[in-house]
Amino acid sequence: YLFRAWEKAETYEFFWEKLEDWKSVLKWNFTTFPEVPSENTRSDCHAWSSSPLYEFIASVLGIRPAEPGFGKILIKPNPFGIKKASGKAPAGDNLVHVCFELDQQDRFSLEISSEKPTTAIIELPGTSKKQEIRIGRKRVKLSTTLKI
């Protein structure tokens, strides 16, 4: 619930600080996140240990279904707290690639593509305006200037 609250309050940059909790267990050679971050923990396999993966795909890259089964794909990236990110994620029977960068002049650039042609609804950061576009293997580039 904490991540959703940060997302709704547009203070998602706190996610990157919280991610340090997950990174901290690497020094103990853990491959999953324990219930209590401690070297001597007995329980080191909780389902929520994978939540950073979901957050990166759904909230940082902003890849979510806009319709059931990803009939349409919502792409609403969240650059707050970082300058660039990229990744690929499954979207139904498709694979979507999102790459964004925020330059020193607060110019936000977004590139998106998908393995199969589909419809994407794009919502760039700093605006509530939504664009519906067709995407496919050829990368689509969009940009805006953020008011930070």
Side-chain angles (χ1 to χ4, degrees), residues 12-127:
Y12 198 75
E13 64 272 10
F14 293 123
F15 167 73
W16 300 104
E17 292 174 27
K18 191 65 176 167
L19 192 60
E20 293 303 317
D21 290 348
W22 274 264
K23 289 181 183 178
S24 73
V25 301
L26 295 174
K27 64 185 168 222
W28 301 309
N29 297 317
F30 285 15
T31 56
T32 62
F33 197 71
E35 184 174 3
V36 178
S38 164
E39 184 174 17
N40 299 315
T41 189
R42 290 184 31 197
S43 175
D44 64 352
C45 189
H46 282 268
W48 56 272
S49 68
S50 64
S51 67
L53 297 173
Y54 172 81
E55 290 300 318
F56 184 76
I57 292 167
S59 296
V60 176
L61 297 177
I63 302 170
R64 295 183 181 187
E67 289 183 354
F70 283 94
K72 290 183 181 180
I73 300 167
L74 173 65
I75 300 176
K76 184 181 177 182
N78 189 338
F80 302 105
I82 58 171
K83 295 292 182 186
K84 64 181 177 176
S86 67
K88 294 180 182 179
D93 67 348
N94 209 341
L95 185 66
V96 177
H97 178 259
V98 172
C99 176
F100 70 74
E101 187 165 355
L102 183 62
D103 69 18
Q104 293 183 3
Q105 289 76 38
D106 295 328
R107 185 96 179 136
F108 179 83
S109 301
L110 173 70
E111 292 185 9
I112 55 175
S113 62
S114 61
E115 291 292 313
K116 299 176 183 178
T118 191
T119 300
I121 298 170
I122 313 299
E123 188 173 335
L124 295 176
T127 178

